[in-house]
């Protein structure tokens, strides 16, 4: 088996895990997704099993059928993380990224070839660090609000035996 065949098999395995995970998160049966995609059950089973090269049309149809983010699935394959695909299926993170990237491409046009990669990596790193900090702060604030709210509930709750 050559390197290309091995990569196709690896991509198929990653795709299969991502698709099954998302489908199960949605509590859908394979035949339901197949019907929503307009595929026979057998064709869908081959697709979900990751047979052959990833089919972009089927990935987009699967995303529509499961209301998930097709770009999260694709990028999950590209970075080798089925978890990424499943975690971003709902929040449409990669769809937002792709929309922004398309706007960036449109805005710069042919000047995009003048973008210094080091500058771009630095900007992406800073943006991702900022998003990560915002998420962690929001999580901490939510936990603190729940803790304080629980304390307030506990002080007003009748004592046992009353």
């Amino acid at each position: 088996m050559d390197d290309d065949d091995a990569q196709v098999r690896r991509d198929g395995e990653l795709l299969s895990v991502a698709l099954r995970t998302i489908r199960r998160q949605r509590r859908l049966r394979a035949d339901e997704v197949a019907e929503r995609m307009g595929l026979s059950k057998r064709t869908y089973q081959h697709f979900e099993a990751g047979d052959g090269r990833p089919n972009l049309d089927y990935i987009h149809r699967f995303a529509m059928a499961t209301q998930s983010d097709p770009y999260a699935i694709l990028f999950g394959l590209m970075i080798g993380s089925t978890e990424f695909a499943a975690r971003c299926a709902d929040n449409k993170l990669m769809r937002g990224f792709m929309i922004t990237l398309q706007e960036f491409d449109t805005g710069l046009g042919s000047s995009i070839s003048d973008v210094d990669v080091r500058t771009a990596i630095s900007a992406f790193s800073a943006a991702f660090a900022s998003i990560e900090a915002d998420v962690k702060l929001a999580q901490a604030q939510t936990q603190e609000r729940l803790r304080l709210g629980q304390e307030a509930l506990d002080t007003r709750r009748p004592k046992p035996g009353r």
Side-chain angles (χ1 to χ4, degrees):
M1 176 183 305
D2 66 8
D3 289 343
D4 190 48
D5 289 340
Q7 185 63 45
V8 169
R9 195 169 83 243
R10 180 178 173 272
D11 288 348
E13 290 168 0
L14 288 170
L15 180 62
S16 179
V17 171
L19 298 175
R20 277 196 319 270
T21 301
I22 293 167
R23 178 177 57 78
R24 289 175 181 159
Q25 285 175 343
R26 303 293 193 262
R27 293 187 169 95
L28 294 169
R29 295 185 321 270
D31 61 324
E32 291 174 308
V33 177
E35 183 178 330
R36 291 179 183 187
M37 289 177 65
L39 300 176
S40 71
K41 186 175 178 181
R42 187 77 177 133
T43 300
Y44 177 78
Q45 288 170 332
H46 283 290
F47 168 62
E48 187 178 270
D51 294 342
R53 294 188 181 278
N55 181 317
L56 294 179
D57 177 54
Y58 284 5
I59 290 170
H60 281 273
R61 288 162 68 179
F62 173 86
M64 287 187 66
T66 60
Q67 297 181 354
S68 55
D69 186 345
Y71 304 104
I73 296 168
L74 291 168
F75 276 80
L77 291 177
M78 294 170 75
I79 66 171
S81 175
T82 58
E83 295 87 0
F84 179 85
R87 287 189 288 241
C88 295
D90 289 330
N91 72 0
K92 312 297 190 278
L93 175 69
M94 292 312 299
R95 180 177 297 180
F97 182 80
M98 293 299 289
I99 290 167
T100 305
L101 186 59
Q102 183 181 47
E103 292 167 350
F104 180 69
D105 176 55
T106 300
L108 276 182
S110 62
S111 296
I112 203 165
S113 62
D114 296 330
V115 172
D116 176 55
V117 174
R118 289 176 299 173
T119 302
I121 290 172
S122 179
F124 293 146
S125 295
F128 291 144
S130 176
I131 293 168
E132 183 179 347
D134 287 350
V135 167
K136 289 180 177 178
L137 177 61
Q139 290 171 337
Q141 289 172 337
T142 299
Q143 289 303 313
E144 180 64 8
R145 176 125 190 233
L146 288 172
R147 186 187 67 74
L148 292 172
Q150 187 61 50
E151 285 177 6
L153 288 172
D154 289 346
T155 60
R156 293 187 181 135
R157 186 176 56 187
K159 302 295 181 219
R162 289 187 149 194

